[in-house]
Each structure stands twice: as C-alpha cells, then as structure tokens.
Amino acid sequence: MIIGRTDLAVLKPFRIGAAEPWRFNAWHGAALVAALIAAVGIGEAQAAPGTPDIIATMLKWTPLLAQGFALNIAMSFLAMAIGTVTGVPLGLAQVSLLPQVRASSWFVTQFFRNSPWLVLLFYCMLLLPFEVRIGHTIVPLPGWLKSTIGLSLPVMANMSELVRGAVRSIPFGQWEAADSLAMTRAQTLRMIILPQCIKRMTPPWMNLYAILTVATPLTSVVGVSEAMTLTGDILSSEGRSELLVPMYLYLLLWFFLYCYPIARATLALEKRFAVT
Amino acid sequence: MVWTPDQPLVSLRAVFKSFGAARVLKGVSMEVMKGQVICIIGPSGSGKSTLLRCVNALVPIESGSILVEGQEVNDPKLDKLALRRKVGMVFQQYNLFPHKTALENVMMAPIHVLKRDQREVERQALALIAKVRLQGKEGAHPGELSGGQQQRIAIARSLAMNPDIMLFDEVTAALDPETVKDVLVTIRELAADGMTCMIVTHEMGFAREVANEVYFTDGGLLVEHAPPKEFFASPKDPRTRQFLDQIL
Ligand SMILES: Nc1ncnc2c1ncn2[C@@H]1O[C@H](COP(=O)(O)OP(=O)(O)O)[C@@H](O)[C@H]1O
Ligand SMILES: [Mg+2]
C-alpha cells in the first residue's frame, strides 16, 4: 500500500514549532482548481458516448458528499475539544515541580506525539469496546466515535507540547515578580502565566486544527462513513472510471475551501502577535 | 522570641550562597533597623542581587541566618508567603504583568493574596498611582508606558501590599537618563515617609543623599560600610577607593 511511503503530512508525526508549519496556501488552491478542470476535460474526452456529463454527476452526488463532509467536521470539532481539554492538564503536568509527574507526563506526550496517526487510529478501533457501561446505562461506541478518540490522542500530545513551550517562553521575571508578591504557584499560573500563554498558543492551535481536519479522511481506512468513504461508494455505484480523478479532486477542493480561511486567519494572527 | 522595633528589622549573619561551583556570597553579615535606608554598591557580579533575593527567600541560602522581624528565613519550615507579604521587591526590568493595566497590576496581589475588599484596594491603588505621579495612566497597559513610568507602577504594586521593608535591585539601571530622576524622587519620598529600604544602586549621588548607611560589596563579601558622608569622603579599603575612582 502507498501509505508506507507517502509524504502526506498527516501520516507523519506532526511537530509544532518546526521551522514552517505545513498549511494550505493560495497556490495549492490554484493548482487544485486547474487540476480539477483538466481532469474533467480529460474525463469527458474518455467518456463513452451517451453518458451524463461529469459536472452534472458531481452535482448530483453533492448532497450526499456534504453529509459525509459534515461528519468529518463533526469529528474534527470533537477530537479538537477532547485533545485540548486533556492536553492542557497534560502540558501543565510537564511543568510540574514534582519530578515523577513531570517525567510521566513527558513520556505520555512523547509517545502519542511520535506515533503515526494511523497507528493510533487502528489501536483505538481495535482496543476500545463497542459499548461502555456507565452506571446502569449502556453507551454505544460507534466506529466514528472510536476513531474520533483515536484522532484526539495526537491532538492531546501536541497540545501538551504547546502548553509546555508557551509556559517556558514566559520570561522568568514574571515568576519572580509574582513570587515576591506572595502569590502561590497556582495563582501565578492561573493569573499571570497562562493568560499570556493563550495569545502565543492560538496560532499554532489553529494550525493544529487545520491539520487534524485534513487527517479525518484517515478514518475511512477503518470504515467510517465520512466523505472519503462515500466518494468511494459513489464511484463504485457509478462504475465509470473517468469519474475517479475528478471526484477525488472535487473532495479535496472541499477540504481546501474549509481549511484555507483558517490558514489565512492563522497567518494574520501570527503577524499581529509578532509585531506587538 | 517576639520581635520588637528596637531590634534590627533585617539581620544577616554569615550568609553563604553558591550557584553550583560559583561562590556568590561568602559570609555576609549586616543589620537594618526599622526606618533605615541602606544602599549597597559594588561591581557587577559581586552578589548584590543575590543578597537581596535571599532576604525574601527568592533564593535559598546554604548556611548562616537571616532574620526578618525576628523570623528565621533559613528554615525549611519557613512560611515563604507570609515572609513575602512583609517584604516588597522592585526589579531592574520592572516585570509588570503585560496583560494587565497599571491599575490591575497594583490591585492584583492585595485582592488575591491578602483577600482584601476590592473597593478598598481600588481606593488605595488609585492613591498610590497618584503618589508616584501617574494619575491618568491607570488604564494603560505596561507596553504603553515608558520605562520610568513602568518602574513607578512597579513600586506602587509593591507598596499596595503594605510591606514593612522594600528591596530595590538596580531599579534605574535599565532606564533612559531622563526618566531616572522621576523614579529616584519616588524612592526618596518613600524613604522620607519612614519606609525601611535596602537599595542596590549605581547612582552615587542618590546613595549619598538618601542612605543612612552605605555598604560596599566585592567578590561576595561586604568590604566596608559607613554613613554616606564618611563613606564617600574617606573610604578605608583600597577596593572601595578603586571602585569609587572608576565610577565618579
Ligand atoms: N540563578 C543563578 N544561577 C547561577 N548563577 C547565578 C544565578 N544568579 C546569579 N548568579 C551568579 O552569581 C554571581 C553574582 O550575581 P548577582 O548577585 O546577580 O551579582 P550583582 O547583582 O552584584 O551583579 C554572578 O556571577 C552570577 O553569574
Ligand atoms: Mg544585579
């Protein structure tokens, strides 16, 4: 399978603070549209006489595709929420004064940060039960939920690193000033350090979200009916080979249109924070 | 033992401190009475900042004794927070909280550390900001203030804790010459009001004028100390003389 050799960003462990984070830019968009137009043209040329045209077919399936895409977005929201809510305390544990807490949270962070996302996804699919009992109620864990949990693990680890890096980047004088005012460590973190961290963490956090969104089609490998899976289903029901390339490019365009504004906003924030 | 104001407010006995292999304080002893203003001068790296930081336990010492109002600082059971409520400190780099306004900087610790009433704290904070002559700047963020203005807000922030003693660590060293004066005026007024002060400074004119006693440090030792007139007119130790010759 190509996955072993690919250079696709989501299959490699994602690192925050690497020189230039990967993100969509306008060139990607232009190239994508050009490729889509070319693919439709080539497809039409190859098509057997009498078949409906490619654009019409794409539009016919658009509502179904939108349903699948909505699941991708829902999974990205939920995984981001879980990853953020668990990653912040994990990151704070990494700056704890207790060596054991520091060491174990460091290990957890490194483990999930350096595992390929797809591996974590498979682990969650295979190891999580299909339902859990909470008190007397049985909560089912459908595939999409399990893979969302799988996606949230690397988000958690990257969030943890983000928090650690941001706390470390606050000048030592801030701690000294708070200490000399008799503030406790918890007060200093809550009122002095973390509020200053939020500003620094927002752009990389948004970047992390964009990468997570692009990673959600990975869940098609474990059978979740998101947009990528549905595209495959559509293609097999149509049974027309000339549709293959245009359909996947069309899907990619959806992701681009969703992520590009986020990338622009991230850049704008980075610029603004760099000046002040 | 109960501390009474006729005893030293701060007393150091044979204080030793190393950072790794570097011995920074090699047996420092001094006494500061209530209401006294002492200035510490000496070459860079001689341990002046470390000395001040030991007094409010920002830096733990290895041996010796530091008593603040009779309370031993070199004690594993020390209540650091209780100590720091009594000891204010102002730093060379101001270290204001950049995400808070000037007023919020001054009000934060009294409200959250001392749990005082918000209204009352605000009244005091406004008075303190007026005292350091920064009326009208209450809503400004530190980034919008000059160095000298930030430093005066930092002084107000420490004073809002109603400390018994103030530590100043080269508070004018990072400032433009024009703004140094305003900060020195503020400290001078504070001293005139009877605040006990330990001041590390390179401003010799200021030290001469404000100090009750001037200390000279070199290589982790207190070389000599004397009232300012005597200190500047007839320094005894050759190291002191050399330092003063260079700087004056
Ligand atoms: N936190 C620290 N860790 C290691 N070395 C330190 C630390 N603080 C100060 N020192 C060293 O101790 C010596 C005295 O420093 P300091 O007290 O800042 O001197 P001064 O304020 O007189 O310039 C210097 O050599 C400095 O490098
Ligand atoms: Mg110093």
Side-chain angles (χ1 to χ4, degrees), chain A residues 172-184 187 190-193 195-196, chain B residues 53 56 58 81 84-85 87 91 95-99 108-109 112-113 115 157 161:
Chain A
F172 184 67
Q174 295 285 303
W175 288 96
E176 261 196 334
D179 280 347
S180 75
L181 290 167
M183 294 172 75
T184 63
Q187 283 174 327
R190 197 180 71 239
M191 297 191 289
I192 311 296
I193 305 299
Q196 296 184 60
Chain B
R53 279 168 169 73
N56 66 349
L58 285 183
L81 301 183
R84 289 170 186 163
R85 285 196 280 268
V87 183
F91 302 87
N95 299 343
L96 289 182
F97 306 131
H99 58 301
M108 182 182 275
H112 295 285
V113 174
K115 314 281 182 214
R157 177 175 72 175
M161 294 290 282

Side-chain angles (χ1 to χ4, degrees), chain B residues 19-20 22 24 42-51 59 169-170 200 217:
Chain B
F19 290 108
V24 176
S44 162
S46 60
K48 306 181 298 294
S49 300
T50 307
L51 176 60
V59 164
D169 188 6
E170 298 198 38
V200 172
T217 58

Side-chain angles (χ1 to χ4, degrees), chain B residues 149-167:
Chain B
Q149 293 172 332
Q150 289 190 56
Q151 195 60 291
R152 282 180 281 156
I153 293 295
I155 293 172
R157 177 175 72 175
S158 284
L159 291 176
M161 294 290 282
N162 299 320
D164 293 342
I165 177 169
M166 289 285 287
L167 312 176

Side-chain angles (χ1 to χ4, degrees), chain A residues 183-203:
Chain A
M183 294 172 75
T184 63
R185 191 176 164 84
Q187 283 174 327
T188 306
L189 271 172
R190 197 180 71 239
M191 297 191 289
I192 311 296
I193 305 299
L194 290 181
Q196 296 184 60
C197 287
I198 288 175
K199 198 166 132 177
R200 291 162 202 238
M201 292 192 314
T202 304

Side-chain angles (χ1 to χ4, degrees), chain B residues 62-134:
Chain B
E62 276 148 33
S63 70
S65 157
I66 301 178
L67 294 177
V68 176
E69 294 184 352
Q71 182 184 25
E72 178 57 64
V73 175
N74 187 18
D75 175 354
K77 295 197 296 288
L78 167 76
D79 181 352
K80 283 188 192 163
L81 301 183
L83 170 72
R84 289 170 186 163
R85 285 196 280 268
K86 296 188 294 196
V87 183
M89 185 160 192
V90 185
F91 302 87
Q92 181 173 337
Q93 297 297 341
Y94 345 123
N95 299 343
L96 289 182
F97 306 131
H99 58 301
K100 298 282 180 187
T101 64
L103 184 64
E104 288 167 341
N105 264 277
V106 177
M107 290 176 63
M108 182 182 275
I111 289 176
H112 295 285
V113 174
L114 303 179
K115 314 281 182 214
R116 283 170 50 197
D117 173 65
Q118 172 135 8
R119 282 267 186 73
E120 184 209 334
V121 170
E122 180 166 351
R123 215 175 305 129
Q124 186 198 7
L126 291 172
L128 282 169
I129 291 174
K131 191 180 150 103
V132 300
R133 295 189 182 77
L134 287 172

